Amino acid sequence: MSRLRGAAAALALMLAPAVAPAQVSDEVVRIGVLTDLSGPYADFAGPGSVLATRMAIEDHGGRALGKPVEAIGGDHQNKPDVGGALARRWIDTERVDMIIDMPNSAVALAVQQVGRERNRIIINASAASTEITGRQCSPVGFHWVSDSYALSTGTTRAVMAQGGKNWFFLTVDYEGGYALERGAEAVVNAEGGRMLGRARHPLNTPDFSSFLLQAQASRAQVVALANAGTDTINAIKQAGEFGLTRQGQRLVGMFVNINDVKALGLATAQGVVTVEAWYWDQNEETRAFARRFADRNRGTPPSQYQAGIYSAVRHYLKAIEAAGTDEAMAVAARMRELPVNDVFTKNGRVRPDGRHVHDMYLVEVKRPEESTGPWDLYRVLSTVPADQAFRPLNEGGCPLVRP
């Protein structure tokens, strides 16, 4: 009888599925932060994105599956060819396993294609185009923080509810700006508003005079800025010099960040309404994280995108642990399965198209007399629930989504 039991046990062991050992390629998990280190998007992304990545690695313990995790940074110079070439070099020669950030949608889409071709995880944090999770979605591609749908539709609905019916768009001349304009225009048309004109400006232009004159001549109630970074800052400053707001036109920022508001000052930016994915002064947890970040960032708290990068890197490393490997497809599957609960969001989830969905927040820039500190800049007006904030899954055209 004992022999029979022994034979049965041996047979069971032989038939049991093999458990694959944990595997990390090249014995190191390498993360590349591809960002704008010195251009118009450096304040809300840039060096702060690299810092957020390193903080996420440290808070995870510095290792994944017992192997060290490293981060490197690089500047895409807002050029898709430069970003794509750097991504290929990182993957092919420096054995980078995941690339994150990519402010500038044209760069983001180029790098996502590289990740698809070379089977590497790509997490777009700071780009805006919904094409990242639309027709150009990728099985190893993700979009983490916000996008043009969340930014444009939420802001546009709020302003229209306050009586802003006639619109003029001042749009940066590349896909990210076009996407913001398309999303907002769809809401304007659907809710009975009117488009009175549009002007396209080059990226990082110092002179908005000709474009603002067109906006002024249109007599639109709302002048919407479908741009970002220093372009938004310069446009708002020069709009004040031209007297647009004094004449009754309202400036609305589709891609306003806390860094922009700080640079402008409350006297100039007060009353601007926008949508944010994260704000440092939401609760004690966000405030504690912001203090840690600011201590290493010359006193500046994280932008929504830098906080999102921290979240995405933590989620990626958790997915590696859950998958038992850093192989991209296996990790991507786990990233889509695991919930997201961290300092960035609670009860976030990743859809089949790679879109991380989470609550968004409608905010208004405070008046100078309302502010109690140098970074006390926003009043949170309302929460936009995750299922309303982002484009419905079946409307994006992502080939990964089954009808």
PDB file of all heavy atoms in Angstrom, residues 154-184:
ATOM      1  N   GLY A 154     -14.587  67.771 -20.658  1.00  0.00           N
ATOM      2  CA  GLY A 154     -14.940  68.205 -19.314  1.00  0.00           C
ATOM      3  C   GLY A 154     -14.915  69.709 -19.168  1.00  0.00           C
ATOM      4  O   GLY A 154     -15.848  70.323 -18.625  1.00  0.00           O
ATOM      5  N   THR A 155     -13.849  70.327 -19.658  1.00  0.00           N
ATOM      6  CA  THR A 155     -13.733  71.781 -19.570  1.00  0.00           C
ATOM      7  C   THR A 155     -14.801  72.472 -20.403  1.00  0.00           C
ATOM      8  O   THR A 155     -15.426  73.444 -19.961  1.00  0.00           O
ATOM      9  CB  THR A 155     -12.334  72.221 -20.036  1.00  0.00           C
ATOM     10  OG1 THR A 155     -11.339  71.489 -19.322  1.00  0.00           O
ATOM     11  CG2 THR A 155     -12.126  73.703 -19.808  1.00  0.00           C
ATOM     12  N   THR A 156     -15.037  71.987 -21.612  1.00  0.00           N
ATOM     13  CA  THR A 156     -15.999  72.626 -22.503  1.00  0.00           C
ATOM     14  C   THR A 156     -17.409  72.565 -21.937  1.00  0.00           C
ATOM     15  O   THR A 156     -18.153  73.563 -21.961  1.00  0.00           O
ATOM     16  CB  THR A 156     -15.957  71.965 -23.897  1.00  0.00           C
ATOM     17  OG1 THR A 156     -14.620  72.023 -24.398  1.00  0.00           O
ATOM     18  CG2 THR A 156     -16.881  72.680 -24.866  1.00  0.00           C
ATOM     19  N   ARG A 157     -17.798  71.413 -21.414  1.00  0.00           N
ATOM     20  CA  ARG A 157     -19.141  71.298 -20.828  1.00  0.00           C
ATOM     21  C   ARG A 157     -19.315  72.271 -19.665  1.00  0.00           C
ATOM     22  O   ARG A 157     -20.374  72.892 -19.519  1.00  0.00           O
ATOM     23  CB  ARG A 157     -19.384  69.865 -20.363  1.00  0.00           C
ATOM     24  CG  ARG A 157     -19.629  68.885 -21.488  1.00  0.00           C
ATOM     25  CD  ARG A 157     -20.201  67.567 -20.991  1.00  0.00           C
ATOM     26  NE  ARG A 157     -20.404  66.649 -22.099  1.00  0.00           N
ATOM     27  CZ  ARG A 157     -19.593  65.641 -22.398  1.00  0.00           C
ATOM     28  NH1 ARG A 157     -18.536  65.422 -21.639  1.00  0.00           N
ATOM     29  NH2 ARG A 157     -19.831  64.856 -23.424  1.00  0.00           N
ATOM     30  N   ALA A 158     -18.276  72.389 -18.830  1.00  0.00           N
ATOM     31  CA  ALA A 158     -18.381  73.283 -17.670  1.00  0.00           C
ATOM     32  C   ALA A 158     -18.537  74.730 -18.104  1.00  0.00           C
ATOM     33  O   ALA A 158     -19.361  75.475 -17.554  1.00  0.00           O
ATOM     34  CB  ALA A 158     -17.139  73.134 -16.795  1.00  0.00           C
ATOM     35  N   VAL A 159     -17.768  75.165 -19.111  1.00  0.00           N
ATOM     36  CA  VAL A 159     -17.831  76.553 -19.558  1.00  0.00           C
ATOM     37  C   VAL A 159     -19.153  76.827 -20.280  1.00  0.00           C
ATOM     38  O   VAL A 159     -19.754  77.894 -20.109  1.00  0.00           O
ATOM     39  CB  VAL A 159     -16.620  76.871 -20.459  1.00  0.00           C
ATOM     40  CG1 VAL A 159     -16.742  78.262 -21.056  1.00  0.00           C
ATOM     41  CG2 VAL A 159     -15.329  76.756 -19.649  1.00  0.00           C
ATOM     42  N   MET A 160     -19.624  75.871 -21.053  1.00  0.00           N
ATOM     43  CA  MET A 160     -20.905  76.066 -21.730  1.00  0.00           C
ATOM     44  C   MET A 160     -22.047  76.158 -20.726  1.00  0.00           C
ATOM     45  O   MET A 160     -23.005  76.921 -20.924  1.00  0.00           O
ATOM     46  CB  MET A 160     -21.146  74.944 -22.739  1.00  0.00           C
ATOM     47  CG  MET A 160     -20.196  74.993 -23.925  1.00  0.00           C
ATOM     48  SD  MET A 160     -20.752  73.965 -25.302  1.00  0.00           S
ATOM     49  CE  MET A 160     -22.126  74.931 -25.932  1.00  0.00           C
ATOM     50  N   ALA A 161     -21.955  75.407 -19.651  1.00  0.00           N
ATOM     51  CA  ALA A 161     -22.987  75.481 -18.615  1.00  0.00           C
ATOM     52  C   ALA A 161     -23.023  76.851 -17.966  1.00  0.00           C
ATOM     53  O   ALA A 161     -24.053  77.270 -17.428  1.00  0.00           O
ATOM     54  CB  ALA A 161     -22.746  74.402 -17.561  1.00  0.00           C
ATOM     55  N   GLN A 162     -21.908  77.569 -18.035  1.00  0.00           N
ATOM     56  CA  GLN A 162     -21.831  78.917 -17.478  1.00  0.00           C
ATOM     57  C   GLN A 162     -22.148  79.992 -18.513  1.00  0.00           C
ATOM     58  O   GLN A 162     -21.960  81.176 -18.255  1.00  0.00           O
ATOM     59  CB  GLN A 162     -20.435  79.141 -16.889  1.00  0.00           C
ATOM     60  CG  GLN A 162     -20.122  78.220 -15.717  1.00  0.00           C
ATOM     61  CD  GLN A 162     -18.675  78.320 -15.271  1.00  0.00           C
ATOM     62  OE1 GLN A 162     -17.865  79.000 -15.896  1.00  0.00           O
ATOM     63  NE2 GLN A 162     -18.344  77.651 -14.185  1.00  0.00           N
ATOM     64  N   GLY A 163     -22.606  79.569 -19.700  1.00  0.00           N
ATOM     65  CA  GLY A 163     -23.063  80.533 -20.696  1.00  0.00           C
ATOM     66  C   GLY A 163     -22.135  80.774 -21.861  1.00  0.00           C
ATOM     67  O   GLY A 163     -22.441  81.593 -22.740  1.00  0.00           O
ATOM     68  N   GLY A 164     -21.002  80.077 -21.919  1.00  0.00           N
ATOM     69  CA  GLY A 164     -20.069  80.279 -23.027  1.00  0.00           C
ATOM     70  C   GLY A 164     -20.484  79.502 -24.264  1.00  0.00           C
ATOM     71  O   GLY A 164     -20.151  78.317 -24.406  1.00  0.00           O
ATOM     72  N   LYS A 165     -21.172  80.125 -25.185  1.00  0.00           N
ATOM     73  CA  LYS A 165     -21.749  79.421 -26.340  1.00  0.00           C
ATOM     74  C   LYS A 165     -20.933  79.586 -27.623  1.00  0.00           C
ATOM     75  O   LYS A 165     -20.917  78.696 -28.470  1.00  0.00           O
ATOM     76  CB  LYS A 165     -23.172  79.923 -26.592  1.00  0.00           C
ATOM     77  CG  LYS A 165     -24.123  79.702 -25.419  1.00  0.00           C
ATOM     78  CD  LYS A 165     -24.303  78.227 -25.089  1.00  0.00           C
ATOM     79  CE  LYS A 165     -25.320  78.026 -23.981  1.00  0.00           C
ATOM     80  NZ  LYS A 165     -25.447  76.603 -23.587  1.00  0.00           N
ATOM     81  N   ASN A 166     -20.266  80.723 -27.792  1.00  0.00           N
ATOM     82  CA  ASN A 166     -19.532  81.003 -29.036  1.00  0.00           C
ATOM     83  C   ASN A 166     -18.028  80.888 -28.793  1.00  0.00           C
ATOM     84  O   ASN A 166     -17.497  81.545 -27.899  1.00  0.00           O
ATOM     85  CB  ASN A 166     -19.883  82.392 -29.565  1.00  0.00           C
ATOM     86  CG  ASN A 166     -21.371  82.535 -29.849  1.00  0.00           C
ATOM     87  OD1 ASN A 166     -22.016  81.582 -30.257  1.00  0.00           O
ATOM     88  ND2 ASN A 166     -21.906  83.724 -29.622  1.00  0.00           N
ATOM     89  N   TRP A 167     -17.343  80.095 -29.640  1.00  0.00           N
ATOM     90  CA  TRP A 167     -15.958  79.720 -29.357  1.00  0.00           C
ATOM     91  C   TRP A 167     -15.022  80.050 -30.512  1.00  0.00           C
ATOM     92  O   TRP A 167     -15.376  79.944 -31.683  1.00  0.00           O
ATOM     93  CB  TRP A 167     -15.876  78.214 -29.083  1.00  0.00           C
ATOM     94  CG  TRP A 167     -16.545  77.802 -27.805  1.00  0.00           C
ATOM     95  CD1 TRP A 167     -17.875  77.892 -27.493  1.00  0.00           C
ATOM     96  CD2 TRP A 167     -15.906  77.215 -26.668  1.00  0.00           C
ATOM     97  NE1 TRP A 167     -18.106  77.411 -26.233  1.00  0.00           N
ATOM     98  CE2 TRP A 167     -16.920  76.983 -25.705  1.00  0.00           C
ATOM     99  CE3 TRP A 167     -14.592  76.865 -26.364  1.00  0.00           C
ATOM    100  CZ2 TRP A 167     -16.654  76.408 -24.462  1.00  0.00           C
ATOM    101  CZ3 TRP A 167     -14.313  76.287 -25.132  1.00  0.00           C
ATOM    102  CH2 TRP A 167     -15.345  76.074 -24.196  1.00  0.00           C
ATOM    103  N   PHE A 168     -13.786  80.403 -30.119  1.00  0.00           N
ATOM    104  CA  PHE A 168     -12.665  80.542 -31.057  1.00  0.00           C
ATOM    105  C   PHE A 168     -11.519  79.721 -30.481  1.00  0.00           C
ATOM    106  O   PHE A 168     -11.236  79.805 -29.279  1.00  0.00           O
ATOM    107  CB  PHE A 168     -12.236  82.003 -31.193  1.00  0.00           C
ATOM    108  CG  PHE A 168     -11.142  82.221 -32.207  1.00  0.00           C
ATOM    109  CD1 PHE A 168     -11.447  82.617 -33.500  1.00  0.00           C
ATOM    110  CD2 PHE A 168      -9.802  82.029 -31.876  1.00  0.00           C
ATOM    111  CE1 PHE A 168     -10.440  82.813 -34.448  1.00  0.00           C
ATOM    112  CE2 PHE A 168      -8.794  82.220 -32.806  1.00  0.00           C
ATOM    113  CZ  PHE A 168      -9.118  82.615 -34.098  1.00  0.00           C
ATOM    114  N   PHE A 169     -10.833  78.947 -31.349  1.00  0.00           N
ATOM    115  CA  PHE A 169      -9.759  78.078 -30.879  1.00  0.00           C
ATOM    116  C   PHE A 169      -8.396  78.571 -31.341  1.00  0.00           C
ATOM    117  O   PHE A 169      -8.191  78.872 -32.516  1.00  0.00           O
ATOM    118  CB  PHE A 169      -9.976  76.639 -31.366  1.00  0.00           C
ATOM    119  CG  PHE A 169     -10.936  75.877 -30.517  1.00  0.00           C
ATOM    120  CD1 PHE A 169     -12.298  76.002 -30.720  1.00  0.00           C
ATOM    121  CD2 PHE A 169     -10.491  75.067 -29.484  1.00  0.00           C
ATOM    122  CE1 PHE A 169     -13.197  75.325 -29.921  1.00  0.00           C
ATOM    123  CE2 PHE A 169     -11.381  74.393 -28.684  1.00  0.00           C
ATOM    124  CZ  PHE A 169     -12.740  74.515 -28.897  1.00  0.00           C
ATOM    125  N   LEU A 170      -7.485  78.636 -30.384  1.00  0.00           N
ATOM    126  CA  LEU A 170      -6.082  78.933 -30.657  1.00  0.00           C
ATOM    127  C   LEU A 170      -5.329  77.631 -30.382  1.00  0.00           C
ATOM    128  O   LEU A 170      -5.194  77.206 -29.233  1.00  0.00           O
ATOM    129  CB  LEU A 170      -5.599  80.048 -29.746  1.00  0.00           C
ATOM    130  CG  LEU A 170      -4.199  80.618 -29.979  1.00  0.00           C
ATOM    131  CD1 LEU A 170      -4.032  81.078 -31.416  1.00  0.00           C
ATOM    132  CD2 LEU A 170      -3.954  81.778 -29.032  1.00  0.00           C
ATOM    133  N   THR A 171      -4.849  76.974 -31.456  1.00  0.00           N
ATOM    134  CA  THR A 171      -4.429  75.578 -31.386  1.00  0.00           C
ATOM    135  C   THR A 171      -2.988  75.414 -31.829  1.00  0.00           C
ATOM    136  O   THR A 171      -2.582  75.914 -32.879  1.00  0.00           O
ATOM    137  CB  THR A 171      -5.340  74.715 -32.286  1.00  0.00           C
ATOM    138  OG1 THR A 171      -6.706  74.901 -31.885  1.00  0.00           O
ATOM    139  CG2 THR A 171      -4.973  73.245 -32.200  1.00  0.00           C
ATOM    140  N   VAL A 172      -2.193  74.671 -31.036  1.00  0.00           N
ATOM    141  CA  VAL A 172      -0.827  74.355 -31.422  1.00  0.00           C
ATOM    142  C   VAL A 172      -0.856  73.404 -32.616  1.00  0.00           C
ATOM    143  O   VAL A 172      -1.694  72.490 -32.686  1.00  0.00           O
ATOM    144  CB  VAL A 172      -0.030  73.761 -30.239  1.00  0.00           C
ATOM    145  CG1 VAL A 172      -0.603  72.438 -29.763  1.00  0.00           C
ATOM    146  CG2 VAL A 172       1.444  73.620 -30.592  1.00  0.00           C
ATOM    147  N   ASP A 173       0.058  73.608 -33.550  1.00  0.00           N
ATOM    148  CA  ASP A 173       0.004  72.943 -34.848  1.00  0.00           C
ATOM    149  C   ASP A 173       0.674  71.562 -34.828  1.00  0.00           C
ATOM    150  O   ASP A 173       1.705  71.338 -35.464  1.00  0.00           O
ATOM    151  CB  ASP A 173       0.675  73.842 -35.906  1.00  0.00           C
ATOM    152  CG  ASP A 173       0.385  73.381 -37.323  1.00  0.00           C
ATOM    153  OD1 ASP A 173      -0.488  72.512 -37.499  1.00  0.00           O
ATOM    154  OD2 ASP A 173       1.028  73.894 -38.255  1.00  0.00           O
ATOM    155  N   TYR A 174       0.066  70.649 -34.083  1.00  0.00           N
ATOM    156  CA  TYR A 174       0.429  69.223 -34.160  1.00  0.00           C
ATOM    157  C   TYR A 174      -0.700  68.409 -33.546  1.00  0.00           C
ATOM    158  O   TYR A 174      -1.686  68.970 -33.033  1.00  0.00           O
ATOM    159  CB  TYR A 174       1.789  68.924 -33.522  1.00  0.00           C
ATOM    160  CG  TYR A 174       1.861  68.922 -32.010  1.00  0.00           C
ATOM    161  CD1 TYR A 174       1.613  67.767 -31.294  1.00  0.00           C
ATOM    162  CD2 TYR A 174       2.211  70.071 -31.304  1.00  0.00           C
ATOM    163  CE1 TYR A 174       1.697  67.749 -29.910  1.00  0.00           C
ATOM    164  CE2 TYR A 174       2.303  70.063 -29.931  1.00  0.00           C
ATOM    165  CZ  TYR A 174       2.040  68.895 -29.240  1.00  0.00           C
ATOM    166  OH  TYR A 174       2.116  68.895 -27.869  1.00  0.00           O
ATOM    167  N   GLU A 175      -0.600  67.090 -33.589  1.00  0.00           N
ATOM    168  CA  GLU A 175      -1.727  66.221 -33.264  1.00  0.00           C
ATOM    169  C   GLU A 175      -2.321  66.458 -31.887  1.00  0.00           C
ATOM    170  O   GLU A 175      -3.544  66.399 -31.708  1.00  0.00           O
ATOM    171  CB  GLU A 175      -1.310  64.746 -33.403  1.00  0.00           C
ATOM    172  CG  GLU A 175      -2.334  63.719 -32.913  1.00  0.00           C
ATOM    173  CD  GLU A 175      -3.704  63.864 -33.569  1.00  0.00           C
ATOM    174  OE1 GLU A 175      -3.789  64.331 -34.728  1.00  0.00           O
ATOM    175  OE2 GLU A 175      -4.696  63.530 -32.893  1.00  0.00           O
ATOM    176  N   GLY A 176      -1.492  66.733 -30.883  1.00  0.00           N
ATOM    177  CA  GLY A 176      -2.032  66.955 -29.545  1.00  0.00           C
ATOM    178  C   GLY A 176      -3.003  68.121 -29.507  1.00  0.00           C
ATOM    179  O   GLY A 176      -4.069  68.050 -28.884  1.00  0.00           O
ATOM    180  N   GLY A 177      -2.658  69.223 -30.187  1.00  0.00           N
ATOM    181  CA  GLY A 177      -3.550  70.376 -30.253  1.00  0.00           C
ATOM    182  C   GLY A 177      -4.809  70.085 -31.050  1.00  0.00           C
ATOM    183  O   GLY A 177      -5.916  70.462 -30.643  1.00  0.00           O
ATOM    184  N   TYR A 178      -4.638  69.401 -32.196  1.00  0.00           N
ATOM    185  CA  TYR A 178      -5.807  69.065 -33.008  1.00  0.00           C
ATOM    186  C   TYR A 178      -6.795  68.216 -32.213  1.00  0.00           C
ATOM    187  O   TYR A 178      -8.012  68.391 -32.307  1.00  0.00           O
ATOM    188  CB  TYR A 178      -5.421  68.288 -34.264  1.00  0.00           C
ATOM    189  CG  TYR A 178      -4.321  68.887 -35.098  1.00  0.00           C
ATOM    190  CD1 TYR A 178      -3.499  68.073 -35.875  1.00  0.00           C
ATOM    191  CD2 TYR A 178      -4.081  70.255 -35.128  1.00  0.00           C
ATOM    192  CE1 TYR A 178      -2.489  68.590 -36.644  1.00  0.00           C
ATOM    193  CE2 TYR A 178      -3.063  70.785 -35.901  1.00  0.00           C
ATOM    194  CZ  TYR A 178      -2.268  69.946 -36.650  1.00  0.00           C
ATOM    195  OH  TYR A 178      -1.253  70.453 -37.420  1.00  0.00           O
ATOM    196  N   ALA A 179      -6.261  67.263 -31.433  1.00  0.00           N
ATOM    197  CA  ALA A 179      -7.127  66.363 -30.666  1.00  0.00           C
ATOM    198  C   ALA A 179      -7.932  67.135 -29.624  1.00  0.00           C
ATOM    199  O   ALA A 179      -9.129  66.882 -29.430  1.00  0.00           O
ATOM    200  CB  ALA A 179      -6.284  65.278 -29.999  1.00  0.00           C
ATOM    201  N   LEU A 180      -7.284  68.084 -28.943  1.00  0.00           N
ATOM    202  CA  LEU A 180      -8.001  68.919 -27.977  1.00  0.00           C
ATOM    203  C   LEU A 180      -9.114  69.712 -28.676  1.00  0.00           C
ATOM    204  O   LEU A 180     -10.244  69.802 -28.181  1.00  0.00           O
ATOM    205  CB  LEU A 180      -7.035  69.876 -27.289  1.00  0.00           C
ATOM    206  CG  LEU A 180      -6.036  69.268 -26.300  1.00  0.00           C
ATOM    207  CD1 LEU A 180      -5.003  70.318 -25.895  1.00  0.00           C
ATOM    208  CD2 LEU A 180      -6.744  68.732 -25.063  1.00  0.00           C
ATOM    209  N   GLU A 181      -8.775  70.284 -29.820  1.00  0.00           N
ATOM    210  CA  GLU A 181      -9.758  71.084 -30.563  1.00  0.00           C
ATOM    211  C   GLU A 181     -10.923  70.217 -31.024  1.00  0.00           C
ATOM    212  O   GLU A 181     -12.099  70.618 -30.900  1.00  0.00           O
ATOM    213  CB  GLU A 181      -9.072  71.742 -31.754  1.00  0.00           C
ATOM    214  CG  GLU A 181      -9.986  72.631 -32.583  1.00  0.00           C
ATOM    215  CD  GLU A 181      -9.287  73.187 -33.810  1.00  0.00           C
ATOM    216  OE1 GLU A 181      -8.275  73.902 -33.652  1.00  0.00           O
ATOM    217  OE2 GLU A 181      -9.755  72.901 -34.934  1.00  0.00           O
ATOM    218  N   ARG A 182     -10.638  69.024 -31.557  1.00  0.00           N
ATOM    219  CA  ARG A 182     -11.708  68.144 -32.048  1.00  0.00           C
ATOM    220  C   ARG A 182     -12.674  67.776 -30.930  1.00  0.00           C
ATOM    221  O   ARG A 182     -13.899  67.806 -31.104  1.00  0.00           O
ATOM    222  CB  ARG A 182     -11.114  66.866 -32.646  1.00  0.00           C
ATOM    223  CG  ARG A 182     -10.482  67.009 -34.010  1.00  0.00           C
ATOM    224  CD  ARG A 182     -10.260  65.647 -34.662  1.00  0.00           C
ATOM    225  NE  ARG A 182      -9.426  64.784 -33.867  1.00  0.00           N
ATOM    226  CZ  ARG A 182      -8.093  64.690 -33.985  1.00  0.00           C
ATOM    227  NH1 ARG A 182      -7.462  65.453 -34.864  1.00  0.00           N
ATOM    228  NH2 ARG A 182      -7.403  63.857 -33.236  1.00  0.00           N
ATOM    229  N   GLY A 183     -12.106  67.396 -29.768  1.00  0.00           N
ATOM    230  CA  GLY A 183     -12.963  66.984 -28.669  1.00  0.00           C
ATOM    231  C   GLY A 183     -13.856  68.109 -28.182  1.00  0.00           C
ATOM    232  O   GLY A 183     -15.049  67.918 -27.942  1.00  0.00           O
ATOM    233  N   ALA A 184     -13.287  69.308 -28.027  1.00  0.00           N
ATOM    234  CA  ALA A 184     -14.070  70.445 -27.559  1.00  0.00           C
ATOM    235  C   ALA A 184     -15.106  70.864 -28.591  1.00  0.00           C
ATOM    236  O   ALA A 184     -16.260  71.182 -28.251  1.00  0.00           O
ATOM    237  CB  ALA A 184     -13.137  71.610 -27.232  1.00  0.00           C
TER     238      ALA A 184
END
